[in-house]
Amino acid sequence: MVAMPEPSAPLSLRHRLAQNLRRLRLERQWSQEDLAERSGLHHNQISMIERARSSVGIDIVEKLMAALGVRASDLLD
């Protein structure tokens, strides 16, 4: 299991992506499988990203943005 940073430490970009992706997915009441289908990714990849266990490239970020209908800043801020 990957340790989360201390609450006072700033979150890494990977952890911010993980938190924002999960929050946005849950706001839409989508399962990881739903998001995977909409983004063209595998549900295991969605799980790894949400747990901050996977480093993703810009192409994956673009697929997630399109599926969720959000801007990059919504995923990365």
Side-chain angles (χ1 to χ4, degrees):
M1 179 156 216
V2 173
M4 291 295 288
E6 292 294 321
S8 60
L11 289 178
S12 69
L13 191 56
R14 184 184 297 186
H15 284 92
R16 282 185 278 170
L17 173 62
Q19 286 183 351
N20 289 330
L21 181 61
R22 179 171 169 79
R23 176 183 51 79
L24 291 165
R25 177 179 61 78
L26 292 175
E27 283 175 2
R28 288 157 178 76
Q29 299 181 338
W30 292 353
S31 67
Q32 289 179 343
E33 291 80 8
D34 293 330
L35 179 55
E37 184 177 314
R38 287 171 165 87
S39 65
L41 303 173
H42 192 275
H43 65 89
N44 287 341
Q45 191 170 16
I46 300 296
S47 174
M48 294 288 285
I49 296 167
E50 286 189 0
R51 290 183 289 132
R53 303 268 322 250
S54 177
S55 178
V56 300
I58 195 69
D59 294 336
I60 300 299
V61 172
E62 286 181 335
K63 287 181 180 187
L64 294 169
M65 289 167 43
L68 292 163
V70 298
R71 301 169 303 189
S73 60
D74 297 322
L75 287 173
L76 302 174
D77 283 343

